[in-house]
Amino acid sequence: MTLQNDPSRHAEGAVDFGFDEVFFSRTDKRGVILAGNDVFQRVSGYGWGDLLGAPHKIIRHPDTPRAVFRILWDALGNGHPMGGYVKNRARNGDHYWVFGVILPMEGGYLSVRLKPSSPLFDKVRALYADLCTRERVEGLDPEASARMLWHAVTEAGFTSYTTFMASALGQELAARDIRMRRPVDPRTQRLIDLNVALEQVTQEQRKLLRSFESLQSIPNNMRLVRSRLEPSGGPVSAISENYRASSLVISERLRSFVTGRDNLCDRVSRQAARALFLLGADRVLGEMISRFRHAEPVAGIDWAAEGAGLERLRASGREDSRVALKSAVDHAEELTRSSSEIRRLMLGLDTIRVMGRVECGRLRANGGGLAATIDQLDLFHAEIKTRLETILRLSEEIGSAMSRFASTEFGAVAKR
C-alpha cells in the first residue's frame, strides 16, 4: 500500500506520491529516455509512448536553478556519481520534488529518485528560490549560478558539493525511514555520523590555520619591544626571530594539508564522501532491483535486462566505494600523522615562549611591553593546543570508524 504524503507538505498543484515509491529512469549520453518504471510514468503524467525516446528535460521545472544541472552534468561527464534536489513538472503543469541519485553507466546514465522530507530539504528549497530569482533578474549564466550555489554550500560548512550530497542522501534516507515508520538503518546513521565528523575536522583544521596566521604579528611586536629595550642582536631579538622562523614552518606545514588544490583534508573528505554516497546509493539500488521483479510489462522495456544492468552497476559501485573508503582511511591516517607532527613542532614554539617569559622576568619593570606580547602568545598557544587535540581525536576516530565500517561492509575485501 502506498504511504500518502504528509498533508502539511501538500500544496495546490503538487503531484501526490508516497514515501515508499521510488522513481527509476535510464537515459543515453544525450539524456534521451530509454527506460523508466511505473512511478516515473504515473507521476510525470506522460504515456510510455511520450516518454521513451524523449529528452529527460521534458519534466524539467523552471524553479530548479540551472546551477544544479551544471553541477550534475559536470560530475557525470567526469564519470562521478552525483545527487541533487530537483523540482520536476508533470505533463498537466503540476510539480513534484525528488532527491535524485544519478550514476554514470555504460551507454548513459541512471537516475533513482526518492521523495525528500529532511529538514535540509526546506533549506534547499529556499536557496533554490533565491537562485532562480537571481538567474532571471540578473541574467546569470549556469556557471555563475553554480558558483553561487557552491558558495552557499561552503558557507553551510561543507568542503565540497560531493560531501554536501553525501550528507543530503544520508539525511533523506533516515527521514524516509521515519516517515515509513521503520527503524533508521544503522548503516545510514553511521554514514551520517561519519560525514558530520569529516566536516568538523576540516573546519577545525581551517580554524587552526587562521590561528597560526594570527601568530605572524607576534614577532613584529617583539621586535618593536626590542627596539626600546636593547641593542640589535640582544636576547629579545633572538627570541622573536626564532619564534618567527618556527611559526612559519608550522604554518607552511598546515597550509599543505588545509589549503590549495587537492590538499590532504579535501582528499580525505572527497574520498570518504564518494564512498558514503555510493553506499547510500547501493541501498537505493537494492530497493529498486527488488521492485523490478513485480513490474508490469511495458512495450520497449526489457525488465530482466534492466535488472541485470542495475545489478552490474550496483556491484561496480560497491567496488568503487570500497576503493574510495580504503583511500580515505589511508589519507585519514596521514592526516593524523601530520597533526601529530604539528603538535611536536608546537613543543618547540612553547620552549621559545617560555624563554620569552624568562626574559620578561629578567627585565622586570622594563619588560611590560614584552610581558603583554607573551600574554598574547599564552592565549594563542592555549587555543592552538585545544584545536590540535580536537583534530587529533577526530582524525583518529574517523580513521578507526571508517576502518570498522569497511570491515563490516566489505569484510576481508577491505583489507586488500
Side-chain angles (χ1 to χ4, degrees), residues 275-293:
L276 302 184
F277 186 84
L278 285 168
L279 287 168
D282 177 74
R283 180 182 166 191
V284 178
L285 288 177
E287 183 175 335
M288 192 69 254
I289 290 168
S290 68
R291 291 172 185 244
F292 280 175
R293 303 189 187 104

Side-chain angles (χ1 to χ4, degrees), residues 88-386:
N88 288 328
R89 182 158 57 187
R91 185 171 193 169
N92 66 358
D94 286 349
H95 70 270
Y96 57 98
W97 282 92
V98 295
F99 181 86
V101 175
I102 305 134
L103 306 166
M105 63 184 302
E106 186 178 354
Y109 308 102
L110 171 97
S111 175
V112 180
R113 303 180 291 286
L114 310 169
K115 185 180 186 68
S117 62
S118 74
L120 180 61
F121 173 46
D122 290 323
K123 296 177 182 177
V124 168
R125 286 195 297 181
L127 173 60
Y128 278 16
D130 180 60
L131 272 177
C132 283
T133 298
R134 298 191 67 172
E135 286 180 351
R136 288 191 293 267
V137 174
E138 300 175 24
L140 292 177
D141 61 27
E143 188 67 33
S145 184
R147 285 195 297 270
M148 288 184 177
L149 180 54
W150 161 240
H151 178 72
V153 166
T154 55
E155 284 293 301
F158 294 95
T159 55
S160 72
Y161 203 81
T162 302
T163 58
F164 173 54
M165 283 295 104
S167 177
L169 177 55
Q171 290 183 54
E172 292 303 338
L173 288 172
R176 184 169 176 260
D177 284 336
I178 293 171
R179 294 280 183 173
M180 295 174 67
R181 298 182 179 86
R182 61 190 185 191
V184 173
D185 178 59
R187 185 176 74 167
T188 298
Q189 190 58 53
R190 284 195 294 272
L191 296 178
I192 295 171
D193 293 343
L194 269 174
N195 228 305
V196 170
L198 280 165
E199 294 306 306
Q200 186 180 353
V201 74
T202 303
Q203 294 304 318
E204 285 293 326
Q205 294 279 13
R206 290 178 176 173
K207 291 175 183 176
L208 179 62
L209 179 60
R210 286 196 292 272
S211 296
F212 269 106
E213 299 291 350
S214 299
L215 279 179
Q216 302 312 307
S217 64
I218 301 295
N220 293 331
N221 294 342
M222 285 187 182
R223 282 195 293 272
L224 290 173
V225 171
R226 182 267 304 163
S227 66
R228 296 196 302 269
L229 296 177
E230 64 181 23
S232 179
V236 178
S237 296
I239 290 169
S240 67
E241 287 305 313
N242 287 339
Y243 195 92
R244 185 184 68 82
S246 296
S247 63
L248 280 174
V249 169
I250 298 177
S251 291
E252 287 303 314
R253 187 73 187 91
L254 261 177
R255 286 192 193 96
S256 71
F257 63 88
V258 178
T259 64
R261 187 175 179 82
D262 202 34
N263 64 74
L264 182 55
C265 282
D266 281 355
R267 272 181 276 158
V268 176
S269 183
R270 189 165 57 248
Q271 290 296 328
R274 178 180 173 85
L276 302 184
F277 186 84
L278 285 168
L279 287 168
D282 177 74
R283 180 182 166 191
V284 178
L285 288 177
E287 183 175 335
M288 192 69 254
I289 290 168
S290 68
R291 291 172 185 244
F292 280 175
R293 303 189 187 104
H294 311 289
E296 294 292 329
V298 174
I301 300 178
D302 183 340
W303 289 120
E306 295 298 329
L310 257 67
E311 289 282 11
R312 290 193 298 272
L313 186 62
R314 190 184 186 194
S316 66
R318 285 184 65 79
E319 175 59 15
D320 286 349
S321 63
R322 182 196 69 79
V323 172
L325 199 57
K326 176 63 169 62
S327 178
V329 169
D330 292 342
H331 290 323
E333 291 173 352
E334 186 180 350
L335 191 60
T336 300
R337 289 192 296 272
S338 295
S339 298
S340 296
E341 180 188 350
I342 288 175
R343 185 169 61 176
R344 179 180 59 79
L345 292 171
M346 274 298 297
L347 294 176
L349 274 188
D350 274 339
T351 300
I352 299 171
R353 179 176 58 86
V354 170
M355 290 171 60
R357 184 64 72 188
V358 170
E359 188 62 17
C360 285
R362 187 183 70 80
L363 294 170
R364 295 182 182 174
N366 294 326
L370 181 60
T373 301
I374 299 301
D375 287 343
Q376 281 184 292
L377 282 183
D378 289 344
L379 293 174
F380 274 124
H381 279 226
E383 177 187 342
I384 287 168
K385 285 177 182 176
T386 299

